[in-house]
Amino acid sequence: MTEKAEFMRLPATVNLEYKYSTGRYLGRFYKELRDNKRLVANKCGKCGRVLFPPRIACPDCMVRASDEWVEVGPQATLIFFYELQIPGLAERHAANYLGVLALDGTEAELSCFEHRLMVDDPGKLREGMRMEPVFNEEGRTGRIRDDILGFKPIEG
Amino acid sequence: MAGRAAIVGVGQTYHRSKRPDVNQIEMINEAVRAALEDAQLTPKEIDCVLFGNMEQAEGSYLMDCWATEGTGAYLKEGCKVHTGGTTGASVAEAAAHHAASGLFDTVLAVTYEKQDETPAGMGPLALVQDYLWAIHTGAFGWFARMGRKYMLETGCQEEHAAITRLKSDRCACKNPHAHLRLNLTMQDVLNSRMLLYPLRLLYMCPTTAGACALVFASEERAPKITKKPVWVKDWETVHYEMVGYEAYFTSRMTSMETAANRIYHRNGITNVRRDIQCAEIYEPSTWSELQFSEWFHFCEKGEAWRMAEKGVSDLEGEFPINPSGGVVCTNPIGCTAMVRVAEAALQIRGDAGEHQVTRDVKRAVATGFGGSFWTEMLLLQRSWD
Amino acid sequence: MNQRVAIVGVAQTRYQSSRDDARVFELTFEVVERLLDETGLSIWKDINAVVSSGDDYVDGKGISNDQITEVVGAQYRAEHKVAADGAFAVRYALLQVLSGHHDAVMVTAHCKESMIDQNLINNLAFDPLYQRYLGFDLVSAAALQAQRYMHKYGITPEQCAKVVVKSLKNAKNNPYAQVAQDITIEEVLRSPLLADPIRTLDCKPVSDGACALILASEQKAKRITDKPVWIKGIGSCYDAFYLGDRDLADCDSLVVAAQRAYKMAGINNPRNEIDVAEISGEFSYQELLWYEGLGLCGRGEGGKLIDQGVTKMGGELPVNPSGGLLSGCPHHVAGVARVAEVALQMRGEAGARQVPGAKTGLAHGITGPCGQLQCVIILGS
Ligand SMILES: [Zn+2]
């Protein structure tokens, strides 16, 4: 075997289309956001933890969530933010800045989430600042990442 | 009474960013052969084969089934275990349970990742997000935030991260199996591309192709196979609920602290740096090496960067951390945690070669990190007692 | 085995063609909640660890078990996922008890096959360099196996159809079954052809559901229940991956797995000593082939066994009183549910599908194309 080996690669695409059920807990969140632009959470009947995103059981107590629902947000506190400098990320998320946000009425440590930030002057962004959502006014689905276009600073 | 299991064979490939010269099966087989050769066993002498990788990373379903071609599992017992980044540790734990159960004399544990087969943007981490919930950008933001918070809370400066990264590189350069062996200078580190302040490219783990295999044996069989069995004294797995990565900045106990507390308590470890002589931890970024070291109680809170500055965690130091170069130098994801176990075992045997630490290692810990901020920790010992 | 390990409780959902009302991990919570309720056990005080069965491709999510941490009580605790059929999760849980590290381990399995066309995923089980491009999935691979098996041993389509008729009839006694009906051999043979000789009714239907059970050490088991079901023997085995490397008519890996399990359980003549079996036939011919692999009859005699009525309810060795996979049971859940069904038989709690006086039972699980990976578990009351 004196011949130099040729290393070939075969391209392949894996295309999988799933249908995800929202279930009755997250489903209620979807419906409220889609129809009423309201953000809701459910609660643990044992320890009182606000479960956001809404879910079937409290992780800490392992008991089925109570029937109590609460409205959370829509105002939120900005916990952390960053500029999407990594190639491709800004395009993928359709934003230059992403923030980690905690909606009013939720426990920041357990229920914060990432979302797009809509800011004219990024220099003014600071941790702890108050923000509010900009809702998608047309064709809402209930999906938080589409139905809230982004969060913007509360003026004044 | 708990059964006993020992590691009697260690094998790994040379980890590289690309392995165009082999297909997945051939690469897996390299590690399997190395482990069997190390244990001086033939494939026939293996009773059971356990397998793991990051399930979606190479685009194959039921990968253990195809992998039988390389693992030699034909007509043997076994199955696949998968827990994300912790997979390598999970498979090692499963192998320890098997070897300690009394049902098997020898168990082969195999993990691999061939990340050069995954097209950009199709990486497994992109698939981890909950499709029905919020945006998820992956680990960069999280590690940057960890670094920023760590600096603010402890007084650590960026140069201490750089010192830590240089330590990793010095170790990796002595480890022929390591992926990134760069002979870095302080200037190289501080000039490397800033991803998100204070996370530089060199502070993040690379994408690696590589495989690792370990042979485990029962209490009775292990001493007959090798003069240097490494006993798997104890292990602990700590999981946490599914949430976005950002929610881990919490006043709650972390999975690292929980696992360490339990392992140390059960095994009478009161002074960690005295009772344990070396650690191979899964640090996905340099900032996590500092933060995790504190959570594992390798030092007091806020002291990890001072420990790095004083050279405590160096190869020659009082408490070497990641003498292999660690995860920032080598990261074949589903295999990475098993490499930690393998390297810790080599340190205990005294067989780590050029990257053998100065201190005599009678006892070491290896950890895995992954999933929703999960930790797995294994305690390895030269003698059982 | 160095100590005795028992099943101390089981729970299943009803299997349905689609559970649109629930996220996949909510199915898990349903069975875990019921299991804890029925056994009266505390998830925190009584259960040490969890082994789940699932797969990222099937669940449509990377690290799919991170969804179930919070519904199985794994907050700050151990959960490991076996990415194979649920029988292997039971196997791993057993080993966690035998190793002496835990004295009670919960096993869970969940699956919503309705989320995606299973053939798309199954195609990914074939190697990407050659077989995948041939368009293989589990159905077309099974068709090859069925052709080879029927040709080699003269098994007839009618004999395969009898498996379907028996399964769906048995299912009428199983409140968890998805499909239960009286049909005729002719109806099976008239159902649409998928891949010759496999017809729609020869396949397990698309199914959603979950199943859970708890394994405990002898000492703990006796405190929990007065009807522990003991695991007497277990064996697993991989066959060769490439279909061309095996004679698909002879399921070597099942033969080896069964022999391991029988040896451990002290079983010399399985047909005489086993009272009931729940086996994983994803396709009708597989039940006949697995009879042979399990040593319930000689090579090539699977067809004769069903003709003689040995495996029907009231026969000498009833197989799949629950209706088995053909009456509806998703991947991953299948193996745990087989064990759960046999456990119910051993406890005498199988209701209308009870095999009277059953004391020794066999549960069986498979993973991979044409049953590449096999697991056999022997249970006893
Ligand atoms: Zn609660």
Side-chain angles (χ1 to χ4, degrees):
Chain A
M1 276 264 291
T2 49
E3 198 185 334
K4 192 172 177 293
E6 180 189 352
F7 300 132
M8 289 175 279
R9 285 168 167 276
L10 300 180
T13 307
V14 174
N15 240 332
L16 299 175
E17 251 182 58
Y18 292 89
K19 289 187 303 249
Y20 297 92
S21 301
T22 57
R24 71 181 83 242
Y25 299 90
L26 198 56
R28 179 153 171 175
F29 173 89
Y30 268 59
K31 192 168 170 1
E32 288 285 356
L33 176 52
R34 184 192 63 193
D35 299 345
N36 307 316
K37 290 197 285 188
R38 289 204 318 156
L39 301 160
V40 295
N42 63 344
K43 282 181 86 170
C44 172
K46 195 169 179 196
C47 71
R49 175 171 160 184
V50 173
L51 301 169
F52 185 82
R55 66 194 88 171
I56 192 168
C58 171
D60 296 321
C61 305
M62 252 298 280
V63 294
R64 192 177 278 263
S66 73
D67 292 331
E68 190 186 346
W69 287 76
V70 290
E71 189 172 350
V72 294
Q75 297 195 351
T77 302
L78 181 63
I79 295 181
F80 183 74
F81 63 91
Y82 51 87
E83 190 181 352
L84 290 172
Q85 297 148 311
I86 299 159
L89 270 189
E91 290 73 22
R92 198 197 305 169
H93 296 293
N96 292 318
Y97 286 83
L98 280 192
V100 177
L101 296 132
L103 292 176
D104 293 355
T106 68
E107 281 180 70
E109 293 180 344
L110 298 171
S111 299
C112 58
F113 59 96
E114 284 180 75
H115 215 301
R116 291 175 286 268
L117 299 182
M118 301 168 87
V119 283
D120 303 329
D121 181 5
K124 285 187 181 157
L125 282 173
R126 18 171 244 291
E127 290 173 19
M129 80 190 294
R130 304 283 297 156
M131 315 271 305
E132 63 186 359
V134 178
F135 287 103
N136 179 12
E137 294 300 339
E138 274 169 38
R140 279 194 303 275
T141 61
R143 202 176 163 98
I144 192 170
R145 64 175 95 144
D146 301 330
D147 287 359
I148 294 178
L149 299 174
F151 280 81
K152 65 172 189 186
I154 295 174
E155 303 297 334
Chain B
M1 198 192 75
R4 298 179 182 184
I7 295 168
V8 298
V10 174
Q12 52 181 317
T13 59
Y14 293 92
H15 299 278
R16 299 293 179 255
S17 61
K18 289 191 173 65
R19 286 295 306 272
D21 58 317
V22 287
N23 67 32
Q24 295 174 49
I25 301 303
E26 290 161 352
M27 194 182 75
I28 289 165
N29 189 251
E30 279 180 18
V32 169
R33 279 167 190 257
L36 290 174
E37 191 177 312
D38 185 52
Q40 290 288 294
L41 291 175
T42 63
K44 271 199 175 132
E45 292 173 277
I46 297 296
D47 297 333
C48 176
V49 178
L50 297 171
F51 182 83
N53 71 319
M54 188 78 186
E55 244 171 355
Q56 294 173 317
E58 288 85 7
S60 288
Y61 174 48
L62 306 177
M63 188 59 211
D64 57 320
C65 287
W66 182 24
T68 54
E69 293 282 306
T71 60
Y74 174 58
L75 293 188
K76 297 187 191 303
E77 299 236 13
C79 68
K80 183 170 85 165
V81 174
H82 174 243
T83 60
T86 45
T87 295
S90 296
V91 176
E93 275 188 36
H97 276 298
H98 278 65
S101 71
L103 298 189
F104 305 99
D105 288 333
T106 52
V107 181
L108 178 67
V110 188
T111 55
Y112 89 107
E113 215 73 79
K114 200 161 186 295
Q115 293 200 66
D116 55 330
E117 308 236 333
T118 316
M122 271 277 294
L125 289 176
L127 302 165
V128 169
Q129 63 180 316
D130 182 347
Y131 280 82
L132 296 174
W133 198 234
I135 292 168
H136 182 64
T137 49
F140 293 110
W142 189 66
F143 291 122
R145 191 171 162 212
M146 175 176 277
R148 203 187 295 185
K149 185 165 186 263
Y150 186 76
M151 289 169 81
L152 278 171
E153 285 179 0
T154 66
C156 169
Q157 301 296 310
E158 204 213 316
E159 64 171 281
H160 301 111
I163 289 170
T164 307
R165 184 62 184 83
L166 287 175
K167 183 265 299 179
S168 304
D169 185 54
R170 281 197 304 279
C171 293
C173 286
K174 292 183 176 178
N175 173 7
H177 290 97
H179 170 190
L180 297 181
R181 307 160 76 220
L182 302 170
N183 282 309
L184 295 171
T185 64
M186 183 63 110
Q187 227 34 37
D188 295 334
V189 176
L190 293 177
N191 287 339
S192 95
R193 189 154 67 87
M194 189 66 85
L195 299 173
L196 298 171
Y197 178 80
L199 183 69
R200 292 185 187 278
L201 186 62
L202 276 173
Y203 298 152
M204 273 305 284
C205 51
T207 54
T208 303
C212 182
L214 296 171
V215 184
F216 288 71
S218 62
E219 176 177 11
E220 198 176 302
R221 190 72 199 280
K224 292 177 186 150
I225 295 173
T226 174
K227 289 194 180 72
K228 295 192 274 190
V230 175
W231 297 98
V232 190
K233 183 69 198 288
D234 199 359
W235 54 87
E236 181 70 30
T237 295
V238 182
H239 281 195
Y240 192 71
E241 68 190 76
M242 174 179 66
V243 278
Y245 255 41
E246 296 300 338
Y248 302 124
F249 289 84
T250 147
S251 53
R252 290 187 162 202
M253 182 90 83
T254 61
S255 63
M256 288 87 181
E257 289 168 284
T258 310
N261 289 349
R262 289 178 188 162
I263 291 272
Y264 299 162
H265 175 75
R266 286 203 293 264
N267 295 280
I269 293 163
T270 50
N271 179 331
V272 177
R273 267 156 51 183
R274 179 195 65 200
D275 299 341
I276 297 171
Q277 290 83 37
C278 171
E280 273 286 345
I281 66 170
Y282 193 128
E283 32 53 284
S285 85
T286 299
W287 290 110
S288 8
E289 174 168 337
L290 296 171
Q291 178 63 77
F292 289 8
S293 292
E294 297 182 11
W295 283 338
F296 287 132
H297 309 308
F298 297 157
C299 59
E300 297 297 321
K301 292 261 180 294
E303 296 289 321
W305 62 272
R306 290 199 175 88
M307 187 164 70
E309 191 179 41
K310 288 179 200 150
V312 172
S313 51
D314 284 13
L315 275 185
E316 307 80 11
E318 179 210 331
F319 189 77
I321 298 172
N322 291 359
S324 66
V327 184
V328 290
C329 300
T330 307
N331 184 37
I333 310 176
C335 171
T336 300
M338 186 173 279
V339 175
R340 309 276 71 68
V341 179
E343 288 288 346
L346 289 176
Q347 291 292 343
I348 287 174
R349 280 166 39 169
D351 289 341
E354 258 204 273
H355 65 290
Q356 180 71 41
V357 305
T358 309
R359 200 176 178 195
D360 183 36
V361 182
K362 295 193 176 77
R363 198 187 227 176
V365 286
T367 74
F369 169 80
S372 288
F373 205 64
W374 299 341
T375 293
E376 301 202 15
M377 187 181 227
L378 292 94
L379 181 67
L380 308 181
Q381 296 186 177
R382 188 181 292 161
S383 66
W384 182 266
D385 299 308
Chain C
M1 278 184 259
N2 58 17
Q3 60 160 316
R4 299 215 293 169
V5 179
I7 294 162
V8 297
V10 305
Q12 306 177 61
T13 59
R14 227 192 107 209
Y15 303 108
Q16 290 177 246
S17 59
S18 177
R19 280 292 305 271
D20 284 338
D21 62 309
R23 301 190 72 182
V24 64
F25 55 90
E26 292 173 357
L27 298 180
T28 306
F29 186 73
E30 268 180 43
V31 288
V32 170
E33 192 181 35
R34 186 154 1 116
L35 185 57
L36 295 171
D37 198 42
E38 286 176 8
T39 56
L41 295 175
S42 153
I43 187 77
W44 307 116
K45 288 187 196 131
D46 295 314
I47 309 294
N48 309 125
V50 179
V51 179
S52 69
S53 166
D55 188 282
D56 288 6
Y57 283 105
V58 175
D59 282 354
K61 185 185 180 308
I63 320 178
S64 61
N65 53 327
D66 79 348
Q67 303 176 96
I68 69 156
T69 301
E70 60 195 58
V71 296
V72 298
Q75 185 86 315
Y76 289 111
R77 306 203 306 164
E79 181 272 333
H80 287 107
K81 181 178 85 179
V82 169
D85 175 66
F88 293 88
V90 175
R91 178 182 174 279
Y92 184 23
L94 167 71
L95 291 165
Q96 292 195 352
V97 180
L98 287 177
S99 73
H101 280 258
H102 298 306
D103 63 6
V105 179
M106 182 163 71
V107 177
T108 69
H110 60 263
C111 183
K112 284 184 68 172
E113 291 179 342
S114 65
M115 282 173 71
I116 184 167
D117 180 346
Q118 294 294 310
N119 286 338
L120 293 178
I121 298 175
N122 294 337
N123 177 245
L124 302 178
F126 293 86
D127 84 82
L129 302 173
Y130 177 56
Q131 292 179 328
R132 203 177 289 181
Y133 291 100
L134 298 176
F136 266 117
D137 54 37
L138 292 195
V139 179
S140 50
L144 283 184
Q145 187 171 39
Q147 289 284 7
R148 172 67 187 147
Y149 173 53
M150 293 165 78
H151 171 76
K152 184 169 181 182
Y153 293 119
I155 304 290
T156 66
E158 287 76 15
Q159 287 170 326
C160 295
K162 278 184 185 175
V163 173
V164 183
V165 174
K166 170 178 76 77
S167 298
L168 300 192
K169 181 164 182 262
N170 287 356
K172 285 164 65 184
N173 292 326
N174 179 5
Y176 302 110
Q178 176 178 327
V179 186
Q181 64 187 98
D182 287 315
I183 53 161
T184 62
I185 292 172
E186 291 67 40
E187 282 174 289
V188 178
L189 295 178
R190 275 204 311 269
S191 69
L193 193 63
L194 293 177
D196 192 20
I198 291 176
R199 295 172 183 277
T200 318
L201 284 171
D202 288 310
C203 308
K204 71 179 267 319
V206 168
S207 186
D208 292 358
C211 183
L213 53 82
I214 295 170
L215 291 184
S217 64
E218 177 165 12
Q219 214 180 8
K220 179 124 184 171
K222 286 179 170 167
R223 283 207 306 271
I224 296 170
T225 174
D226 49 10
K227 282 199 238 172
V229 176
W230 304 105
I231 297 184
K232 304 264 192 182
I234 191 159
S236 70
C237 189
Y238 276 106
D239 213 320
F241 173 71
Y242 288 104
L243 302 178
D245 290 350
R246 318 185 218 164
D247 186 336
L248 293 174
D250 298 319
C251 41
D252 293 343
S253 59
L254 179 55
V255 172
V256 175
Q259 280 167 355
R260 283 172 182 151
Y262 294 156
K263 190 175 169 207
M264 203 181 293
I267 286 174
N268 298 311
N269 184 335
R271 179 151 156 198
N272 287 346
E273 295 173 56
I274 293 168
D275 303 315
V276 59
E278 281 283 345
I279 69 180
S280 290
E282 296 180 338
F283 304 93
S284 57
Y285 78 88
Q286 284 188 343
E287 180 164 325
L288 305 179
L289 181 53
W290 302 161
Y291 290 164
E292 299 173 21
L294 290 166
L296 306 182
C297 60
R299 282 280 162 93
E301 293 177 357
K304 215 165 82 189
L305 203 66
I306 191 124
D307 282 342
Q308 292 166 345
V310 172
T311 56
K312 68 177 184 190
M313 286 305 276
E316 184 190 329
L317 198 182
V319 174
N320 292 349
S322 69
L325 272 55
L326 296 182
S327 73
C329 193
H331 285 116
H332 296 285
V333 180
V336 186
R338 303 282 67 67
V339 175
E341 280 291 333
V342 174
L344 289 173
Q345 292 284 352
M346 298 297 101
R347 292 165 71 107
E349 293 174 358
R353 61 196 187 285
Q354 180 69 45
V355 174
K359 293 205 160 42
T360 302
L362 179 150
H364 161 252
I366 55 170
T367 291
C370 301
Q372 188 190 348
L373 177 57
Q374 302 265 357
C375 185
V376 176
I377 302 175
I378 307 297
L379 303 175
S381 55

